[in-house]
Amino acid sequence: MTNTVPKILIVGGGYAGFYTAWKLEKHLRKGEADVTIVDPLPYMTYQPFLPEVAAGSIEARHSVVALRRHLKKTHVVAAKVTGINHANKIATITPIAGDPYEFEYDQIVVTAGAVSRTFPIPGIADNAIGLKTIEEAVAIRDRLMSNFDKAATLPPGPERDRLLTVVVVGGGFAGIEVFAELRSLASSLVKSYPELTFDDTHFHLVEAMGRIMPEVSLKTSEWVLKNLAQRGAAVHLDTQVTGAIDGNIELSTGETIPSDLIIWTAGVMANPTVVRGGDLPVEERGRIQTRADLRVGTAEDVVEGAWAAGDVSAVPDLSGGGVGGYCVPNAQHAVRQAKLLAKNLVAVLRGEEPREYFHKNMGAVAGLGLWVGVFQSGNIALKGWIAWLAHRGYHGLAMPTWERKWRVLWGWWNNFWLGRDMVNLSTVQNPRYVFEEFAARPRPAAPAIDPKSVAGDKAPVAGAKPEKAEKAPTEKATAGATG
């Protein structure tokens, strides 16, 4: 018997993808549709926690949500969607193991998110690291801690300064948060290294615009600048990075900053693998053209059976607060769009009309290290520890699933009494190094000897006495030689 159940394919398991699948499981009736979510990673990353993961304030595993644990009715596929032929409703899926194959669908939901947007600046691709994944956040933390260990063994000088210098490129929320959190981490680390002082650490943030954090008021952003300056951090406004070869950060002002840790947060772009690998309409900034009801298309033309949400989509901001008339790429929009998308998709399957997405920005909140934060909602601005509590309260509640909420809250509670976890696990990048160092290896085989050449070398010479035959080694001697 032919299976007539509609197939829904969700491309990407990040914010929007996870929430879409999660809510579809709630709204769909049993047997009403078959849902498949495709992502090379088996978890959703709660990206607002990445700066705190980098600072060791949150356990890395607690800031991600396992897809298979919380999506009980959804088929989870560890793979990438490398092609979308929506004209024939066929997607090309490339699994993390095995050969690519084609997947037929009836409805496709594109929620592939965004990746770091960089420029062809010499040295950036080779020496910098982004802050879009949990792996990057962990690597940043371990690199800074490893650099402290190395610097503590060196005398004062250029090499030690380079190891203890952090450069963050980009003064948006992500850049400021990781910059401030790492400054807080470094201040804590210094107390455990008698060989180092606070003045040995150097923090620089480079921003091409004339201000930081455009999401908050100018007055609030100026308070953040003042707070960072009081904590020994330098912010370079109206400045661009022109080079980063061999870890030497060259600025448009002519200054050069040697650093072993360069963090790039200067913008994002829609996932190019998905956008360029399909036939769905794309707007001028490289995002999938999306209607206010979250169906792909324009106000006049609908691409039937195609939906999009989150950072990969260009969704009109009906509140009037967006950039260029579209919703900005942030968690607030991604989560809310996904929830409505699930409802709208179910409505269309049942022959009902979808609703348009409308969300007015509630404000912005940022953590700037332990006990320091900022909060902005309209004309209301909070600063200091009250804003820091608001930051943790908001994101603690926004973390999906109670299982994850409790893990994060429990970690914060433990840290309150026990202090920040300072364990450095940088060697996890090469977990076999000890085993490889001491593992026994077979000896190289002895070179083969040609019998003819041996016979020629041993040919008797006239008048010479014959040589005595060598005794064959005993079994015991042989075993001892090879054992």
Side-chain angles (χ1 to χ4, degrees):
M1 189 171 101
T2 304
N3 184 7
T4 59
V5 174
K7 292 183 178 181
I8 301 173
L9 174 63
I10 301 176
V11 183
Y15 265 127
F18 171 79
Y19 269 94
T20 298
W22 203 26
K23 296 305 177 182
L24 281 175
E25 291 190 348
K26 177 181 178 181
H27 300 309
L28 287 169
R29 303 187 187 107
K30 186 177 181 179
E32 190 172 11
D34 182 17
V35 183
T36 299
I37 188 169
V38 178
D39 195 288
L41 298 175
Y43 50 79
M44 182 218 85
T45 300
Y46 191 74
Q47 293 186 354
F49 281 158
L50 292 183
E52 289 197 64
V53 172
S57 296
I58 294 180
E59 165 63 37
R61 290 178 300 172
H62 296 171
S63 61
V64 300
V65 180
L67 299 181
R68 297 181 187 276
R69 175 166 183 170
H70 296 284
L71 298 178
K72 301 295 186 181
K73 304 175 185 177
T74 302
H75 184 209
V76 179
V77 180
K80 289 183 178 181
V81 173
T82 51
I84 298 175
N85 180 359
H86 191 67
N88 296 307
K89 293 191 174 180
I90 296 175
T92 301
I93 296 179
T94 303
I96 59 176
D99 298 325
Y101 60 92
E102 293 185 340
F103 182 93
E104 295 183 3
Y105 62 83
D106 298 290
Q107 303 280 337
I108 189 168
V109 179
V110 183
T111 52
V115 298
S116 297
R117 175 175 60 91
T118 59
F119 307 103
I121 300 171
I124 287 296
D126 299 321
N127 298 306
I129 186 171
L131 190 66
K132 291 293 292 179
T133 68
I134 193 69
E135 293 82 4
E136 288 175 323
V138 172
I140 289 170
R141 180 194 65 194
D142 289 343
R143 171 66 69 85
L144 183 59
M145 289 182 168
S146 295
N147 284 357
F148 264 77
D149 288 333
K150 295 175 184 176
T153 67
L154 297 175
E159 179 59 19
R160 192 167 83 169
D161 288 342
R162 186 182 68 85
L163 290 170
L164 298 178
T165 299
V166 176
V167 176
V168 176
V169 184
F173 253 61
I176 290 295
E177 284 193 292
V178 72
F179 184 65
E181 289 284 358
L182 291 179
R183 172 68 274 182
S184 177
L185 171 61
S187 298
S188 298
L189 287 174
V190 166
K191 300 174 184 177
S192 301
Y193 290 84
E195 305 89 349
L196 305 175
T197 67
F198 178 88
D199 293 334
D200 291 328
T201 61
H202 313 283
F203 280 74
H204 297 268
L205 184 135
V206 182
E207 170 54 48
M209 297 176 59
R211 60 164 296 181
I212 60 171
M213 304 174 75
E215 300 89 346
V216 302
S217 67
L218 180 61
K219 184 177 181 181
T220 300
S221 70
E222 289 175 344
W223 180 90
V224 174
L225 287 174
K226 182 179 178 181
N227 178 268
L228 290 172
Q230 292 172 345
R231 293 157 63 184
V235 177
H236 307 258
L237 299 177
D238 293 314
T239 306
Q240 296 178 337
V241 175
T242 58
I245 298 175
D246 296 329
N248 292 310
I249 314 303
E250 299 174 4
L251 306 181
S252 56
T253 58
E255 185 179 359
T256 299
I257 305 173
S259 173
D260 192 60
L261 181 53
I262 308 165
I263 305 168
W264 182 275
T265 65
V268 298
M269 64 178 180
N271 190 319
T273 302
V274 174
V275 172
R276 298 171 188 169
D279 57 357
L280 297 175
V282 179
E283 48 91 64
E284 61 271 10
R285 294 191 64 182
R287 299 172 295 180
I288 294 177
Q289 187 70 57
T290 311
R291 294 160 46 94
D293 60 10
L294 303 174
R295 288 184 290 182
V296 173
T298 63
E300 299 77 23
D301 187 24
V302 179
V303 179
E304 296 293 342
W307 306 76
D311 294 357
V312 78
S313 64
V315 178
D317 190 341
L318 302 183
S319 72
V323 177
Y326 295 102
C327 296
V328 296
N330 63 22
Q332 277 191 45
H333 285 303
V335 170
R336 289 166 177 79
Q337 288 171 7
K339 292 179 179 179
L340 179 62
L341 192 158
K343 291 181 179 178
N344 282 352
L345 202 162
V346 172
V348 168
L349 290 178
R350 297 172 183 171
E352 303 169 4
E353 287 297 316
R355 294 188 295 110
E356 291 186 333
Y357 174 74
F358 179 91
H359 173 68
K360 189 173 182 180
N361 185 21
M362 298 187 301
V365 61
L368 304 176
L370 289 179
W371 310 109
V372 184
V374 291
F375 169 84
Q376 181 90 45
S377 180
N379 294 325
I380 300 175
L382 300 176
K383 310 175 188 69
W385 68 270
I386 295 179
W388 179 81
L389 289 176
H391 160 76
R392 286 208 161 178
Y394 172 79
H395 286 298
L397 293 175
M399 183 71 178
T401 81
W402 280 104
E403 178 254 340
R404 291 286 109 177
K405 284 181 174 67
W406 280 117
R407 292 184 188 275
V408 171
L409 293 173
W410 185 248
W412 281 338
W413 177 254
N414 287 335
N415 286 349
F416 178 77
W417 298 104
L418 304 176
R420 194 195 311 255
D421 192 343
M422 311 295 273
V423 175
N424 172 18
L425 295 178
S426 60
T427 52
V428 77
Q429 310 295 332
N430 181 23
R432 297 182 66 248
Y433 78 100
V434 175
F435 181 83
E436 290 178 335
E437 181 179 355
F438 298 104
R441 290 175 170 81
R443 295 184 178 182
I449 301 176
D450 185 355
K452 294 182 179 179
S453 64
V454 173
D457 293 341
K458 299 293 184 176
V461 180
K465 295 182 179 179
E467 297 181 1
K468 294 182 179 179
E470 296 182 2
K471 292 183 179 180
T474 62
E475 182 178 348
K476 182 176 180 181
T478 304
T482 58

